């Protein structure tokens, strides 16, 4: 089985039975915050504002 996952997956899900191989020719993945509207609260709004304030991550 082959699955394409972000590079940080190898760090967070380190398992001896999985071999992680890099793909050199993939486009960078985009990430975004999502949440169910009915669960929105002050903490979620504060997190979303912090992310907006920080802007995109450039590696």
């Amino acid at each position: 089985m082959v699955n394409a996952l972000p590079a940080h997956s190898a760090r967070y899900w380190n398992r001896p039975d999985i071999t992680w191989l890099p793909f050199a020719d993939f486009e960078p993945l985009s990430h975004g915050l999502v949440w169910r509207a009915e669960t929105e609260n002050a903490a979620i709004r504060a997190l979303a504002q912090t992310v907006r304030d920080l802007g995109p991550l450039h590696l």
Side-chain angles (χ1 to χ4, degrees):
M1 176 186 296
V2 174
N3 288 307
L5 297 168
H8 73 271
S9 299
R11 184 173 12 145
Y12 291 110
W13 292 290
N14 187 12
R15 292 180 37 180
D17 57 332
I18 294 177
T19 299
W20 299 93
L21 301 173
F23 287 95
D25 56 352
F26 267 35
E27 292 293 321
L29 295 175
S30 297
H31 291 78
L33 293 175
V34 295
W35 58 88
R36 294 189 320 267
E38 65 270 12
T39 64
E40 185 172 318
N41 58 35
I44 290 173
R45 287 189 294 276
L47 173 62
Q49 186 59 53
T50 300
V51 171
R52 281 191 293 271
D53 292 345
L54 290 173
L57 176 64
H58 300 285
L59 299 175

